[in-house]
Amino acid sequence: VCFIGRSNVGKSSLIKALFSLAPEVQVRVSKKPGHTKKMNFFQVGKYFTLVDMPGYGFKAPKDFVDMVEAYLKERPNLTRTFLLIDGVVGIQKTDSIAIEMCEEFSLPYVMVLTKIDKASKGYLAKQVLQIQEFVDTQTQGCFPQLFPVSSVTYSGIHLLRCFLAHITGNLHQ
Ligand SMILES: Nc1nc2c(ncn2[C@@H]2O[C@H](COP(=O)(O)OP(=O)(O)OP(=O)(O)O)[C@@H](O)[C@H]2O)c(=O)[nH]1
Ligand SMILES: [Mg+2]
């Protein structure tokens, strides 16, 4: 599985929150956009590998397109792509480009709305409905359920952990 999104959207923080109980996943987080420069691979026990991607948009590394596009397009065992959108600012132009890329490559992807601790419940409800409408009407490969999360309060993290375990074949009932 891999995590993509605009620089500073909270990819590394989300991975840190999701895998806080997995000591082998040591991600670096920074206040400065463009912190993650390379694709970082982490082995989660013997279960699966996750990839923390550099961000696109402001301060993206110059070789972003060659690196990330090629990976997304060519990696046959990529099970799912988690596309992170800032839950407060919603879908921006650069996000639309990433969405189009996922659609073009026919990637199975999931939209995660980040930093939900920064907005009021009312504002957030409006954002979620608007993005849900977009997913329902404008996308083919996007999973129909959105995952709003906060890496600060851990809101939504447990559900996303369960979903990850499920799609990687590790949720044994
Ligand atoms: N309030 C709040 N801040 C967050 C959350 N997630 C991340 N941040 C902050 O957002 C900033 C960027 O977080 P990162 O996780 O490094 O973002 P990134 O997407 O990995 O950024 P790049 O590696 O530069 O592409 C940091 O200052 C984080 O503390 C969240 O859920 N809530
Ligand atoms: Mg990062």
Side-chain angles (χ1 to χ4, degrees), residues 10-13 28-30 35-36 52-55:
K11 298 173 293 297
S12 302
S13 302
R28 304 246 340 246
V29 170
S30 167
H35 182 77
T36 310
D52 183 15
M53 295 285 195

Side-chain angles (χ1 to χ4, degrees), residues 1-2 41 48-49 51 71-72 74-80:
V1 299
C2 76
F41 292 75
F48 60 93
T49 303
V51 195
Y71 177 83
L72 294 176
E74 322 256 337
R75 196 71 187 125
N77 62 356
L78 179 60
T79 300
R80 201 71 58 119

Side-chain angles (χ1 to χ4, degrees), residues 101-163:
M101 182 175 73
C102 291
E103 292 286 332
E104 189 189 323
F105 299 162
S106 305
L107 295 175
Y109 66 104
V110 182
M111 253 186 237
V112 177
L113 310 181
T114 63
K115 308 192 185 182
I116 61 165
D117 56 286
K118 288 172 76 176
S120 71
K121 284 211 166 74
Y123 177 84
L124 207 65
K126 246 197 304 197
Q127 283 285 64
V128 170
L129 285 175
Q130 203 176 332
I131 298 171
Q132 186 71 59
E133 169 82 12
F134 174 86
V135 169
D136 293 345
T137 58
Q138 314 281 317
T139 68
Q140 300 277 328
C142 186
F143 190 70
Q145 159 95 53
L146 297 171
F147 290 89
V149 295
S150 164
S151 305
V152 171
T153 64
Y154 273 55
S155 173
I157 295 295
H158 184 67
L159 183 61
L160 195 51
R161 277 182 183 156
C162 293
F163 181 73

